[in-house]
Amino acid sequence: DIQMTQSPSSVSASVGDRVTITCRASQGISSWLAWYQQKPGKAPKLLIYAASSLQSGVPSRFSGSGSGTDFTLTISSLQPEDFATYYCQQANSFPALTFGGGTKVEIK
Amino acid sequence: QLQLQESGPGLVKPSETLSLTCTVSGGSISSSSYYWGWIRQPPGKGLEWIGSIYYSGSTYYNPSLKSRVTISVDTSKNQFSLKLSSVTAADTAVYYCARQKIGADYWGQGTLVTVSS
């Protein structure tokens, strides 16, 4: 089974900061990776698919990069509505999915 | 606009079977481009994929749950369903249904299922 490891598990940042979250797969997954944002009491929201493709309607301050085993989600200028928990998810064995453990972005 | 809605009991007794249905509206579950999946999230914890189904009935399950899970589809009702048998307190979670491609782009609002006597 493919394991997904996210880091850090939490990050404190201020509005306007650049925030980077990393996700590492236990084996190569090409670009079969997605990123989600989840706010308390809500379903996850798809931000990025295929490692770097921005989902329709998602602000351009969100970007994804990487391939193989190492991936990054970057928020270029953190906005108040971006404080949330972020998850990566591999789909190399689609439709089977594996999620990372999550990264909570908190207000500094 | 596609919408998914989970329905089913919010309380299930230990050792019994959890049953949920996801109703899809605003689009067809018979689309050839997508799988339809169940994902759960225990309180305060991360996301766990349970399993997925294609409109033809092909199913894929999380190996850790495979012995207890059954997912089915009813294309005439535009619904798919989850059954999880022999539940314990560890199965207490918010259960989501979702449309899957590489990412899951549409989700239901989620339904909390508590396992307790």
Side-chain angles (χ1 to χ4, degrees):
Chain A
D1 291 1
I2 300 173
Q3 307 301 317
M4 306 300 294
T5 303
Q6 278 183 245
S7 60
S9 57
S10 66
V11 58
S12 295
S14 301
V15 172
D17 284 353
R18 181 182 184 90
V19 173
T20 299
I21 298 167
T22 63
C23 183
R24 175 164 288 176
S26 59
Q27 64 188 72
I29 59 169
S30 185
S31 295
W32 295 97
L33 187 100
W35 289 98
Y36 299 86
Q37 175 193 70
Q38 188 180 32
K39 296 181 178 180
K42 299 294 186 182
K45 173 186 175 182
L46 179 64
L47 300 175
I48 302 283
Y49 64 95
S52 60
S53 296
L54 195 67
Q55 175 70 1
S56 176
V58 174
S60 59
R61 62 180 180 273
F62 290 94
S63 64
S65 65
S67 67
T69 60
D70 294 313
F71 301 86
T72 299
L73 173 70
T74 299
I75 310 172
S76 60
S77 178
L78 198 65
Q79 298 302 300
E81 60 268 30
D82 300 338
F83 291 96
T85 300
Y86 293 84
Y87 293 93
C88 63
Q89 169 241 294
Q90 69 84 15
N92 185 69
S93 44
F94 181 85
L97 311 176
T98 309
F99 292 90
T103 297
K104 188 173 185 179
V105 177
E106 299 175 300
I107 301 172
K108 192 171 187 179
Chain B
Q1 175 80 345
L2 192 76
Q3 292 187 321
L4 289 79
Q5 178 69 56
E6 305 90 352
S7 59
L11 181 64
V12 181
K13 289 183 168 57
S15 80
E16 296 190 345
T17 296
L18 177 160
S19 296
L20 296 174
T21 296
C22 182
T23 300
V24 179
S25 59
S28 174
I29 203 170
S30 299
S31 169
S32 60
S33 303
Y34 301 99
Y35 280 78
W36 304 88
W38 289 97
I39 295 152
R40 69 180 183 179
Q41 185 171 36
K45 296 188 178 181
L47 300 162
E48 179 182 35
W49 173 73
I50 300 170
S52 303
I53 192 164
Y54 196 54
Y55 75 93
S56 63
S58 297
T59 53
Y60 299 82
Y61 299 136
N62 186 322
S64 69
L65 298 169
K66 186 174 183 177
S67 64
R68 299 194 291 131
V69 173
T70 303
I71 297 175
S72 59
V73 64
D74 186 336
T75 55
S76 67
K77 295 182 179 179
N78 230 29
Q79 295 177 334
F80 61 107
S81 299
L82 167 70
K83 291 188 185 299
L84 181 65
S85 64
S86 305
V87 298
T88 69
D91 295 310
T92 293
V94 175
Y95 285 76
Y96 296 102
C97 58
R99 186 179 82 167
Q100 291 180 237
K101 235 181 171 178
I102 296 177
D105 58 352
Y106 285 92
W107 295 64
Q109 64 185 21
T111 187
L112 174 63
V113 179
T114 301
V115 179
S116 175
S117 55

